[in-house]
């Protein structure tokens, strides 16, 4: 069967959400590669990125079919709500721009496909499920070092990497004053990798849930490193257990300190 015919007949169609902040060349090449197979790409360029980075990406992808740049750009900082906010706004842009997309797949600018598009489409056609790592926050050993329950129990107003002094002083003050908080009572907090692949209907359920439950948004806004618990908690809350696979489709290795292993060649 001709390659073009295969693209037209697969049922799964992916809207990739691509978060990036540097190195425009691999981002552009990734967008070309992903869209070449008939899938769509929505790119969020960190608002902190230099203007020449944004312009290079914008200039290169404008002519690509099924590739858009998120108009709403967020200044992202590691460990903060801003990463979740950027993801949500880019998802909304992708759903509006690509009504035929059946799946939403979150990637970073450093990701690289290691399976052909035909394999990915066939795999998703065969598995009517959401793929997101979601282990029990309190019972698993997913967190190797650093804060654990304090991520949820206290409100985090400062960034640990950018403002370490304020971050830890604020945390200690809350501990001394007994200013802890509870998780929304109906939620069972789970934790896992930031990178996932979800069905369109699941993403739409999450967005509708957030519209109705502003208390949940307020809770996660002040949670430390929410990109590791936000979707990981809400997807199992909203989707039947037998439709959730607690394993992402992106292969990765992190050190105990959260540093990713980079693969070459």
């Amino acid at each position: 069967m001709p390659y073009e015919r295969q693209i037209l007949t697969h049922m799964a169609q992916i809207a990739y959400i691509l978060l990036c902040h540097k190195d425009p060349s691999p981002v552009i090449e990734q967008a070309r590669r992903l869209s070449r197979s008939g899938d769509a790409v929505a790119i969020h360029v960190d608002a902190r990125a230099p203007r020449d980075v944004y312009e290079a990406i914008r200039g290169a992808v404008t002519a690509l079919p099924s590739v858009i740049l998120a108009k709403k750009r967020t200044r992202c900082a590691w460990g903060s709500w801003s990463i979740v906010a950027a993801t949500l706004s880019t998802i909304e842009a992708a759903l509006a721009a690509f009504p035929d997309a059946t799946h939403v797949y979150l990637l970073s600018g450093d990701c690289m496909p290691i399976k052909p598009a035909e394999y990915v489409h066939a795999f998703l056609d065969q598995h009517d499920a959401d793929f997101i790592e979601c282990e029990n926050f309190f019972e698993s050993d997913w967190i190797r070092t650093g804060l654990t329950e304090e991520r949820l129990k206290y409100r985090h107003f400062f960034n640990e990497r950018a403002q370490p002094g304020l971050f830890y002083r604020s945390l200690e003050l809350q501990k001394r004053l007994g200013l802890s908080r509870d998780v929304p009572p109906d939620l069972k907090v789970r934790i896992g990798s930031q990178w996932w692949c979800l069905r369109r209907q699941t993403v739409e359920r999450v967005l509708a849930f957030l519209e109705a439950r502003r208390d949940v948004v307020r809770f996660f806004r002040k949670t430390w490193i929410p990109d590791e618990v936000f979707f990981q908690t809400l997807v199992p809350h909203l989707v039947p257990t037998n439709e959730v696979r607690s394993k992402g489709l992106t292969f990765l290795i992190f050190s105990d300190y959260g540093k990713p292993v980079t693969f070459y060649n």
Side-chain angles (χ1 to χ4, degrees):
M1 182 182 294
Y3 177 72
E4 291 77 13
R5 181 61 179 168
Q6 292 182 39
I7 293 177
L8 291 174
T9 56
H10 72 73
M11 294 179 62
Q13 183 171 351
I14 305 168
Y16 288 97
I17 306 298
L18 183 55
L19 305 182
C20 62
H21 65 280
K22 59 181 176 62
D23 299 342
S25 295
V27 173
I28 294 166
E29 179 55 33
Q30 187 172 178
R32 285 176 176 154
R33 183 183 297 109
L34 295 173
S35 63
R36 190 180 299 138
S37 302
D39 291 315
V41 184
I43 303 174
H44 177 274
V45 182
D46 191 333
R48 297 192 305 163
R51 184 172 183 81
D52 61 328
V53 170
Y54 175 77
E55 292 300 334
I57 295 174
R58 185 178 68 86
V61 305
T62 298
L64 295 179
S66 300
V67 178
I68 64 168
L69 282 179
K71 294 181 180 179
K72 184 176 181 180
R73 296 174 62 199
T74 302
R75 293 178 61 86
C76 296
W78 184 88
S80 75
W81 169 257
S82 57
I83 295 177
V84 178
T87 304
L88 288 171
S89 62
T90 309
I91 286 172
E92 290 175 338
L95 294 182
F98 310 121
D100 295 331
T102 60
H103 295 75
V104 178
Y105 196 138
L106 182 61
L107 295 175
S108 81
D110 292 323
C111 293
M112 177 71 71
I114 59 173
K115 294 288 187 181
E118 295 88 346
Y119 178 95
V120 178
H121 295 146
F123 181 89
L124 294 177
D125 286 343
Q126 294 166 12
H127 298 85
D128 185 18
D130 299 303
F131 294 87
I132 179 169
E133 188 177 23
C134 45
E135 299 185 15
N136 186 295
F137 183 93
F138 298 101
E139 297 176 3
S140 72
D141 61 352
W142 199 87
I143 300 175
R144 301 297 178 85
T145 60
L147 301 179
T148 53
E149 293 185 13
E150 294 93 339
R151 293 188 184 195
L152 308 172
K153 190 175 180 180
Y154 300 101
R155 298 167 180 83
H156 300 279
F157 302 96
F158 306 99
N159 189 281
E160 190 263 350
R161 288 191 174 182
Q163 304 162 299
L166 290 172
F167 180 90
Y168 287 106
R169 284 200 293 272
S170 171
L171 179 58
E172 289 305 315
L173 180 62
Q174 291 180 72
K175 289 181 179 180
R176 288 202 303 270
L177 297 177
L179 299 178
S180 62
R181 60 178 186 164
D182 295 324
V183 175
D186 57 325
L187 295 184
K188 181 177 181 180
V189 180
R190 298 179 182 273
I191 189 167
S193 167
Q194 175 188 0
W195 314 112
W196 41 253
C197 178
L198 304 176
R199 295 167 298 175
R200 184 189 188 98
Q201 63 265 33
T202 298
V203 173
E204 291 173 338
R205 285 181 188 175
V206 170
L207 295 177
F209 179 79
L210 297 179
E211 283 294 320
R213 293 290 302 276
R214 304 311 294 175
D215 62 309
V216 172
V217 176
R218 287 192 296 271
F219 176 82
F220 283 109
R221 277 183 180 275
K222 293 297 184 288
T223 296
W224 182 234
I225 319 182
D227 53 289
E228 294 179 348
V229 294
F230 181 76
F231 289 98
Q232 296 80 355
T233 297
L234 296 188
V235 170
H237 180 73
L238 299 170
V239 175
T241 303
N242 64 341
E243 296 180 20
V244 180
R245 305 289 184 269
S246 185
K247 184 175 178 61
L249 298 183
T250 297
F251 180 78
L252 46 84
I253 300 176
F254 279 85
S255 71
D256 288 350
Y257 295 94
K259 297 294 184 181
V261 172
T262 301
F263 294 86
Y264 297 89
N265 190 11

